[in-house]
Every structure is written in C-alpha cells, then in structure tokens.
Amino acid sequence: MVKQERAARTRRSLIQAAAEVFAEEGFVPASLGAISKRAGVSNGALHFHFANKNALADAVEEEAAAAIRRLTEVARARHGDSLQAVVDATHDLIRCLVQDVVVRGGFELACGVARRTKSPLRAEWQRWVEDSLRRAEGSGSLADGVSWMDAAHVIVAVTAGLEVLGGEDASWLSHQRLTGLWALLLPRLADQQELEALQSGGSQPQAPALAPTSALLRGPYLHGFPEQ
C-alpha cells in the first residue's frame, strides 16, 4: 500500500511538472529531463510511469479533460438546462486556466500543431457546450430564431479565443472581460422572459485572486494576474 501511494504521488508530480513545462515551453521544446527535474524524480522513475513524452502529454490532457468534466457537471447540477449553466461553466473554465496548471498545460497541448491527435480536452468542452445549448433550446431558454448550433459555435469560439489570447496577456482571462462578453451575448441569445434573471458575471461569488506562485502562473501568464 505504501509503495502504491508513493507511486501515485510520483505519477501526479510528473503530470504536474509536465503540465508546467508544456505550458511554459510548448510540447516540442519540452524535454523529459526538464520535466523529471521539475518533479524532483529521476529519469528512471519518469520512464517507469511514462514510456515517452507523448504518453506524458496524453496524461496531462486526460487529467485536464477530467477537470473540465467536473466543472461542467457542477454547473449543470446547479442550473439544469438553462443558459446560466453555460455562463457559469465558462467562468469556471477561465478561472481554471488561471489557477490550474494542468488545465492550462492541457490546452497548450490541445492547440499545438506538433501533436495532431484528437484532443480529448477540446472535444470534452465542445461536446458539453453543444449539448447544453441543445438542452437550452429544448427548454425554451433561447431567443426565437437562435439555433443551438450557432450559439454553441459562438461560445466555443469565444472561449478558445480567450484561452489563446490569455497566453500572451492575462487580462483576457479576467472575470470582468468574460462578464462583458456575456453582457453582449445574452440579450441576443436568451429568451426575453428569462434574460432578466441571467447573471453575466456568473451566479457564484468570485473567489479572491490567488498570489501568482510558480505552481499557478508561469511563462506568459506572469505578464499580469487577471483582476477578479
């Protein structure tokens, strides 16, 4: 049992370290030596858990996808088939990009041209947004003439754009920036009877910004921490 727990901790440390290095450097420049050094383990220990860099990258993307799956499940449990669930999930996603290096590293891998595998992370997010907008249309939450597919395409494009832009300028990942975008989108997307109840800033109080430490913000995100 002790050995299993130690192995699980080592694997987790390697995924965390890999996510940090991928987020900072990208997939191609990242070296296994840099990752093992960041994790504080030997190269032999790294190869015991992961055969190569691709296997490590897959593990980062899979763990990031699991994090996205958890936040979307929470949003739907809280708000059902309403647009508010989608609004809340986008705010949680942006917050994860700032505070969770595995999610950030996963998205860095997902948009890299060096690994042309199907990203489970982007697929997870797009699938949930499309399903949520389909449900919202079915429940009468969308405005007349707005198709769930068009709405989903807009939201996926907006969040992908914020993610990419945030890699260079962290102000794109601020709560205010996303709130302003939803304030523009909701009057066009939402049924008028439901619009007044929708909160473009999300329905949950925003947690105060964490101090930018090496475990949270590295590389381009050090240009500035988003305001909350």
Side-chain angles (χ1 to χ4, degrees):
M1 183 63 70
V2 172
K3 288 184 178 179
Q4 290 176 346
E5 291 175 354
R6 188 186 308 123
R9 286 197 301 271
T10 299
R11 189 178 191 279
R12 173 61 191 172
S13 295
L14 285 165
I15 292 174
Q16 183 89 8
E20 292 179 6
V21 175
F22 291 146
E24 292 172 23
E25 302 178 9
F27 176 75
V28 172
S31 70
L32 292 178
I35 292 169
S36 61
K37 183 178 180 180
R38 181 76 59 90
V41 304
S42 67
N43 286 333
L46 185 153
H47 285 289
F48 175 81
H49 290 277
F50 300 100
N52 50 46
K53 191 164 63 170
N54 268 314
L56 251 177
D58 288 343
V60 170
E61 283 196 283
E62 288 166 7
E63 188 159 325
I68 299 305
R69 190 157 50 249
R70 287 192 295 271
L71 74 84
T72 53
E73 287 172 352
V74 168
R76 181 167 291 167
R78 188 186 297 138
H79 294 293
D81 296 339
S82 71
L83 275 173
Q84 191 65 59
V86 181
V87 174
D88 279 19
T90 59
H91 278 285
D92 290 340
L93 171 65
I94 295 304
R95 188 157 50 248
C96 274
L97 283 168
V98 173
Q99 298 181 353
D100 189 333
V101 71
V102 174
V103 172
R104 190 160 66 252
F107 272 104
E108 172 66 29
L109 290 166
C111 66
V113 297
R115 298 178 74 245
R116 284 298 78 193
T117 57
K118 178 72 172 177
S119 168
L121 183 55
R122 288 194 181 280
E124 186 76 37
W125 176 247
Q126 182 171 344
R127 183 166 50 247
W128 185 84
V129 171
E130 290 175 350
D131 183 57
S132 295
L133 270 296
R134 189 187 298 112
R135 288 167 176 251
E137 185 182 81
S139 68
S141 296
L142 297 187
D144 290 342
V146 174
S147 77
W148 68 264
M149 186 175 294
D150 289 343
H153 289 167
V154 169
I155 293 165
V156 170
V158 165
T159 50
L162 291 174
E163 167 217 327
V164 172
L165 291 167
E168 297 298 326
D169 178 357
S171 68
W172 285 99
L173 301 179
S174 70
H175 178 246
Q176 289 91 336
R177 186 67 59 95
L178 183 55
T179 298
L181 288 169
W182 273 118
L184 288 173
L185 288 173
L186 286 175
R188 178 68 180 90
L189 298 178
D191 177 77
Q192 289 301 308
Q193 292 184 343
E194 298 194 16
L195 179 59
E196 189 173 336
L198 293 173
Q199 300 178 61
S200 58
S203 66
Q204 301 300 300
Q206 292 296 301
L210 302 177
T213 66
S214 60
L216 292 174
L217 299 179
R218 293 184 181 274
Y221 289 83
L222 287 173
H223 293 324
F225 196 88
E227 297 177 359
Q228 292 289 330

PDB file of all heavy atoms in Angstrom, residues 3 11 23 30 61 64 69 71 75 89 101 110 115 130 150-151 153 158 162 170-171 179 185 196 213-214:
ATOM      1  N   LYS A   3       3.906   1.538  -1.143  1.00  0.00           N
ATOM      2  CA  LYS A   3       4.523   1.660  -2.454  1.00  0.00           C
ATOM      3  C   LYS A   3       3.532   2.203  -3.480  1.00  0.00           C
ATOM      4  O   LYS A   3       3.879   3.014  -4.339  1.00  0.00           O
ATOM      5  CB  LYS A   3       5.055   0.304  -2.914  1.00  0.00           C
ATOM      6  CG  LYS A   3       6.298  -0.156  -2.166  1.00  0.00           C
ATOM      7  CD  LYS A   3       6.811  -1.460  -2.737  1.00  0.00           C
ATOM      8  CE  LYS A   3       8.080  -1.903  -2.029  1.00  0.00           C
ATOM      9  NZ  LYS A   3       8.589  -3.192  -2.562  1.00  0.00           N
ATOM     10  N   ARG A  11       3.574   9.794  -9.869  1.00  0.00           N
ATOM     11  CA  ARG A  11       2.885   9.989 -11.143  1.00  0.00           C
ATOM     12  C   ARG A  11       2.205  11.354 -11.195  1.00  0.00           C
ATOM     13  O   ARG A  11       2.270  12.059 -12.205  1.00  0.00           O
ATOM     14  CB  ARG A  11       1.851   8.879 -11.359  1.00  0.00           C
ATOM     15  CG  ARG A  11       1.235   8.874 -12.751  1.00  0.00           C
ATOM     16  CD  ARG A  11       0.261   7.723 -12.925  1.00  0.00           C
ATOM     17  NE  ARG A  11      -0.131   7.564 -14.318  1.00  0.00           N
ATOM     18  CZ  ARG A  11      -1.065   8.290 -14.917  1.00  0.00           C
ATOM     19  NH1 ARG A  11      -1.720   9.216 -14.238  1.00  0.00           N
ATOM     20  NH2 ARG A  11      -1.352   8.100 -16.197  1.00  0.00           N
ATOM     21  N   ALA A  23       3.218  24.156 -20.596  1.00  0.00           N
ATOM     22  CA  ALA A  23       2.599  25.483 -20.627  1.00  0.00           C
ATOM     23  C   ALA A  23       3.638  26.572 -20.868  1.00  0.00           C
ATOM     24  O   ALA A  23       3.363  27.565 -21.540  1.00  0.00           O
ATOM     25  CB  ALA A  23       1.858  25.746 -19.310  1.00  0.00           C
ATOM     26  N   ALA A  30       9.966  21.076 -24.901  1.00  0.00           N
ATOM     27  CA  ALA A  30       9.989  20.470 -23.567  1.00  0.00           C
ATOM     28  C   ALA A  30      10.799  19.172 -23.592  1.00  0.00           C
ATOM     29  O   ALA A  30      10.650  18.344 -24.488  1.00  0.00           O
ATOM     30  CB  ALA A  30       8.567  20.187 -23.102  1.00  0.00           C
ATOM     31  N   GLU A  61      -3.420  15.928 -20.833  1.00  0.00           N
ATOM     32  CA  GLU A  61      -4.688  16.257 -21.488  1.00  0.00           C
ATOM     33  C   GLU A  61      -5.859  15.505 -20.857  1.00  0.00           C
ATOM     34  O   GLU A  61      -6.945  16.067 -20.679  1.00  0.00           O
ATOM     35  CB  GLU A  61      -4.606  15.944 -22.977  1.00  0.00           C
ATOM     36  CG  GLU A  61      -3.827  16.978 -23.770  1.00  0.00           C
ATOM     37  CD  GLU A  61      -4.087  16.851 -25.258  1.00  0.00           C
ATOM     38  OE1 GLU A  61      -3.523  15.922 -25.863  1.00  0.00           O
ATOM     39  OE2 GLU A  61      -4.849  17.671 -25.800  1.00  0.00           O
ATOM     40  N   ALA A  64      -6.652  17.091 -17.518  1.00  0.00           N
ATOM     41  CA  ALA A  64      -7.294  18.388 -17.741  1.00  0.00           C
ATOM     42  C   ALA A  64      -8.737  18.199 -18.199  1.00  0.00           C
ATOM     43  O   ALA A  64      -9.643  18.924 -17.768  1.00  0.00           O
ATOM     44  CB  ALA A  64      -6.506  19.196 -18.771  1.00  0.00           C
ATOM     45  N   ARG A  69     -14.639  18.223 -17.132  1.00  0.00           N
ATOM     46  CA  ARG A  69     -15.849  17.424 -16.945  1.00  0.00           C
ATOM     47  C   ARG A  69     -16.462  17.686 -15.566  1.00  0.00           C
ATOM     48  O   ARG A  69     -17.679  17.810 -15.428  1.00  0.00           O
ATOM     49  CB  ARG A  69     -15.507  15.945 -17.128  1.00  0.00           C
ATOM     50  CG  ARG A  69     -16.704  15.025 -17.199  1.00  0.00           C
ATOM     51  CD  ARG A  69     -16.360  13.739 -17.925  1.00  0.00           C
ATOM     52  NE  ARG A  69     -15.142  13.113 -17.421  1.00  0.00           N
ATOM     53  CZ  ARG A  69     -14.000  13.024 -18.101  1.00  0.00           C
ATOM     54  NH1 ARG A  69     -13.908  13.526 -19.310  1.00  0.00           N
ATOM     55  NH2 ARG A  69     -12.946  12.424 -17.583  1.00  0.00           N
ATOM     56  N   LEU A  71     -16.209  20.446 -13.678  1.00  0.00           N
ATOM     57  CA  LEU A  71     -16.803  21.779 -13.548  1.00  0.00           C
ATOM     58  C   LEU A  71     -18.096  21.902 -14.346  1.00  0.00           C
ATOM     59  O   LEU A  71     -19.029  22.603 -13.930  1.00  0.00           O
ATOM     60  CB  LEU A  71     -15.792  22.868 -13.911  1.00  0.00           C
ATOM     61  CG  LEU A  71     -15.402  23.132 -15.363  1.00  0.00           C
ATOM     62  CD1 LEU A  71     -16.374  24.039 -16.081  1.00  0.00           C
ATOM     63  CD2 LEU A  71     -13.995  23.737 -15.415  1.00  0.00           C
ATOM     64  N   ALA A  75     -21.907  22.790 -12.910  1.00  0.00           N
ATOM     65  CA  ALA A  75     -22.735  23.861 -13.471  1.00  0.00           C
ATOM     66  C   ALA A  75     -24.110  23.344 -13.854  1.00  0.00           C
ATOM     67  O   ALA A  75     -25.122  24.003 -13.594  1.00  0.00           O
ATOM     68  CB  ALA A  75     -22.037  24.475 -14.688  1.00  0.00           C
ATOM     69  N   ALA A  89     -20.266  27.831 -16.318  1.00  0.00           N
ATOM     70  CA  ALA A  89     -19.193  26.929 -16.733  1.00  0.00           C
ATOM     71  C   ALA A  89     -18.066  27.680 -17.431  1.00  0.00           C
ATOM     72  O   ALA A  89     -16.889  27.355 -17.248  1.00  0.00           O
ATOM     73  CB  ALA A  89     -19.741  25.833 -17.640  1.00  0.00           C
ATOM     74  N   VAL A 101      -2.599  24.577 -13.313  1.00  0.00           N
ATOM     75  CA  VAL A 101      -1.567  24.450 -14.345  1.00  0.00           C
ATOM     76  C   VAL A 101      -1.806  23.237 -15.237  1.00  0.00           C
ATOM     77  O   VAL A 101      -1.403  23.233 -16.406  1.00  0.00           O
ATOM     78  CB  VAL A 101      -0.166  24.388 -13.704  1.00  0.00           C
ATOM     79  CG1 VAL A 101       0.064  23.079 -12.983  1.00  0.00           C
ATOM     80  CG2 VAL A 101       0.922  24.630 -14.748  1.00  0.00           C
ATOM     81  N   ALA A 110      -3.391  21.052 -26.556  1.00  0.00           N
ATOM     82  CA  ALA A 110      -4.521  20.895 -27.472  1.00  0.00           C
ATOM     83  C   ALA A 110      -4.414  21.800 -28.688  1.00  0.00           C
ATOM     84  O   ALA A 110      -4.891  21.450 -29.772  1.00  0.00           O
ATOM     85  CB  ALA A 110      -5.833  21.164 -26.736  1.00  0.00           C
ATOM     86  N   ARG A 115       1.369  18.008 -32.201  1.00  0.00           N
ATOM     87  CA  ARG A 115       0.672  16.774 -31.863  1.00  0.00           C
ATOM     88  C   ARG A 115      -0.705  16.822 -32.509  1.00  0.00           C
ATOM     89  O   ARG A 115      -1.630  17.409 -31.968  1.00  0.00           O
ATOM     90  CB  ARG A 115       0.538  16.615 -30.351  1.00  0.00           C
ATOM     91  CG  ARG A 115       1.851  16.524 -29.620  1.00  0.00           C
ATOM     92  CD  ARG A 115       1.618  16.414 -28.129  1.00  0.00           C
ATOM     93  NE  ARG A 115       1.135  15.088 -27.762  1.00  0.00           N
ATOM     94  CZ  ARG A 115      -0.065  14.845 -27.244  1.00  0.00           C
ATOM     95  NH1 ARG A 115      -0.925  15.828 -27.074  1.00  0.00           N
ATOM     96  NH2 ARG A 115      -0.412  13.621 -26.910  1.00  0.00           N
ATOM     97  N   GLU A 130     -22.239  22.143 -26.761  1.00  0.00           N
ATOM     98  CA  GLU A 130     -23.268  21.817 -27.751  1.00  0.00           C
ATOM     99  C   GLU A 130     -24.469  21.140 -27.104  1.00  0.00           C
ATOM    100  O   GLU A 130     -25.627  21.483 -27.405  1.00  0.00           O
ATOM    101  CB  GLU A 130     -22.670  20.912 -28.832  1.00  0.00           C
ATOM    102  CG  GLU A 130     -21.676  21.638 -29.732  1.00  0.00           C
ATOM    103  CD  GLU A 130     -21.003  20.707 -30.729  1.00  0.00           C
ATOM    104  OE1 GLU A 130     -21.167  19.466 -30.587  1.00  0.00           O
ATOM    105  OE2 GLU A 130     -20.311  21.204 -31.634  1.00  0.00           O
ATOM    106  N   ASP A 150     -25.669  27.360 -33.734  1.00  0.00           N
ATOM    107  CA  ASP A 150     -25.000  28.644 -33.927  1.00  0.00           C
ATOM    108  C   ASP A 150     -24.519  29.213 -32.601  1.00  0.00           C
ATOM    109  O   ASP A 150     -23.403  29.745 -32.503  1.00  0.00           O
ATOM    110  CB  ASP A 150     -25.948  29.643 -34.595  1.00  0.00           C
ATOM    111  CG  ASP A 150     -26.217  29.314 -36.056  1.00  0.00           C
ATOM    112  OD1 ASP A 150     -25.443  28.524 -36.632  1.00  0.00           O
ATOM    113  OD2 ASP A 150     -27.209  29.834 -36.612  1.00  0.00           O
ATOM    114  N   ALA A 151     -25.359  29.111 -31.584  1.00  0.00           N
ATOM    115  CA  ALA A 151     -24.979  29.618 -30.257  1.00  0.00           C
ATOM    116  C   ALA A 151     -23.774  28.868 -29.711  1.00  0.00           C
ATOM    117  O   ALA A 151     -22.843  29.467 -29.148  1.00  0.00           O
ATOM    118  CB  ALA A 151     -26.156  29.501 -29.303  1.00  0.00           C
ATOM    119  N   HIS A 153     -21.425  27.322 -31.424  1.00  0.00           N
ATOM    120  CA  HIS A 153     -20.233  27.699 -32.181  1.00  0.00           C
ATOM    121  C   HIS A 153     -19.648  29.019 -31.669  1.00  0.00           C
ATOM    122  O   HIS A 153     -18.427  29.161 -31.538  1.00  0.00           O
ATOM    123  CB  HIS A 153     -20.570  27.825 -33.666  1.00  0.00           C
ATOM    124  CG  HIS A 153     -20.840  26.516 -34.325  1.00  0.00           C
ATOM    125  ND1 HIS A 153     -21.408  26.409 -35.577  1.00  0.00           N
ATOM    126  CD2 HIS A 153     -20.623  25.230 -33.911  1.00  0.00           C
ATOM    127  CE1 HIS A 153     -21.524  25.129 -35.898  1.00  0.00           C
ATOM    128  NE2 HIS A 153     -21.059  24.403 -34.907  1.00  0.00           N
ATOM    129  N   VAL A 158     -15.493  31.831 -28.656  1.00  0.00           N
ATOM    130  CA  VAL A 158     -15.140  32.870 -27.683  1.00  0.00           C
ATOM    131  C   VAL A 158     -14.200  32.320 -26.627  1.00  0.00           C
ATOM    132  O   VAL A 158     -13.171  32.931 -26.298  1.00  0.00           O
ATOM    133  CB  VAL A 158     -16.411  33.456 -27.044  1.00  0.00           C
ATOM    134  CG1 VAL A 158     -16.062  34.260 -25.789  1.00  0.00           C
ATOM    135  CG2 VAL A 158     -17.147  34.349 -28.035  1.00  0.00           C
ATOM    136  N   LEU A 162     -10.297  33.412 -25.911  1.00  0.00           N
ATOM    137  CA  LEU A 162      -9.808  33.921 -24.633  1.00  0.00           C
ATOM    138  C   LEU A 162      -8.623  33.105 -24.141  1.00  0.00           C
ATOM    139  O   LEU A 162      -7.648  33.649 -23.612  1.00  0.00           O
ATOM    140  CB  LEU A 162     -10.930  33.889 -23.590  1.00  0.00           C
ATOM    141  CG  LEU A 162     -12.072  34.877 -23.793  1.00  0.00           C
ATOM    142  CD1 LEU A 162     -13.170  34.628 -22.770  1.00  0.00           C
ATOM    143  CD2 LEU A 162     -11.584  36.321 -23.703  1.00  0.00           C
ATOM    144  N   ALA A 170      -2.637  38.159 -19.761  1.00  0.00           N
ATOM    145  CA  ALA A 170      -3.541  37.519 -18.809  1.00  0.00           C
ATOM    146  C   ALA A 170      -4.809  38.323 -18.539  1.00  0.00           C
ATOM    147  O   ALA A 170      -5.755  37.793 -17.974  1.00  0.00           O
ATOM    148  CB  ALA A 170      -2.814  37.259 -17.482  1.00  0.00           C
ATOM    149  N   SER A 171      -4.853  39.591 -18.962  1.00  0.00           N
ATOM    150  CA  SER A 171      -6.073  40.369 -18.747  1.00  0.00           C
ATOM    151  C   SER A 171      -7.245  39.784 -19.526  1.00  0.00           C
ATOM    152  O   SER A 171      -8.406  40.011 -19.188  1.00  0.00           O
ATOM    153  CB  SER A 171      -5.859  41.836 -19.132  1.00  0.00           C
ATOM    154  OG  SER A 171      -5.669  41.974 -20.538  1.00  0.00           O
ATOM    155  N   THR A 179     -17.296  38.650 -18.277  1.00  0.00           N
ATOM    156  CA  THR A 179     -18.602  39.205 -17.925  1.00  0.00           C
ATOM    157  C   THR A 179     -19.086  40.178 -18.999  1.00  0.00           C
ATOM    158  O   THR A 179     -20.258  40.166 -19.393  1.00  0.00           O
ATOM    159  CB  THR A 179     -18.531  39.924 -16.561  1.00  0.00           C
ATOM    160  OG1 THR A 179     -18.173  38.973 -15.549  1.00  0.00           O
ATOM    161  CG2 THR A 179     -19.869  40.557 -16.201  1.00  0.00           C
ATOM    162  N   LEU A 185     -23.599  39.115 -25.327  1.00  0.00           N
ATOM    163  CA  LEU A 185     -24.171  37.949 -25.980  1.00  0.00           C
ATOM    164  C   LEU A 185     -25.570  37.589 -25.485  1.00  0.00           C
ATOM    165  O   LEU A 185     -26.439  37.195 -26.279  1.00  0.00           O
ATOM    166  CB  LEU A 185     -23.249  36.734 -25.765  1.00  0.00           C
ATOM    167  CG  LEU A 185     -21.934  36.721 -26.529  1.00  0.00           C
ATOM    168  CD1 LEU A 185     -21.068  35.550 -26.069  1.00  0.00           C
ATOM    169  CD2 LEU A 185     -22.184  36.624 -28.030  1.00  0.00           C
ATOM    170  N   GLU A 196     -33.754  38.631 -17.806  1.00  0.00           N
ATOM    171  CA  GLU A 196     -33.566  39.448 -16.606  1.00  0.00           C
ATOM    172  C   GLU A 196     -32.956  38.657 -15.458  1.00  0.00           C
ATOM    173  O   GLU A 196     -32.205  39.200 -14.643  1.00  0.00           O
ATOM    174  CB  GLU A 196     -34.908  40.042 -16.167  1.00  0.00           C
ATOM    175  CG  GLU A 196     -34.772  41.066 -15.058  1.00  0.00           C
ATOM    176  CD  GLU A 196     -36.098  41.763 -14.765  1.00  0.00           C
ATOM    177  OE1 GLU A 196     -36.963  41.799 -15.657  1.00  0.00           O
ATOM    178  OE2 GLU A 196     -36.245  42.265 -13.634  1.00  0.00           O
ATOM    179  N   THR A 213       2.134  32.227  -7.882  1.00  0.00           N
ATOM    180  CA  THR A 213       3.294  31.448  -7.475  1.00  0.00           C
ATOM    181  C   THR A 213       3.712  30.574  -8.640  1.00  0.00           C
ATOM    182  O   THR A 213       3.038  30.478  -9.648  1.00  0.00           O
ATOM    183  CB  THR A 213       2.956  30.551  -6.280  1.00  0.00           C
ATOM    184  OG1 THR A 213       2.001  29.571  -6.706  1.00  0.00           O
ATOM    185  CG2 THR A 213       2.373  31.355  -5.128  1.00  0.00           C
ATOM    186  N   SER A 214       4.843  29.893  -8.467  1.00  0.00           N
ATOM    187  CA  SER A 214       5.342  29.047  -9.541  1.00  0.00           C
ATOM    188  C   SER A 214       4.371  27.927  -9.871  1.00  0.00           C
ATOM    189  O   SER A 214       4.371  27.402 -10.972  1.00  0.00           O
ATOM    190  CB  SER A 214       6.694  28.450  -9.145  1.00  0.00           C
ATOM    191  OG  SER A 214       6.559  27.668  -7.976  1.00  0.00           O
TER     192      SER A 214
END
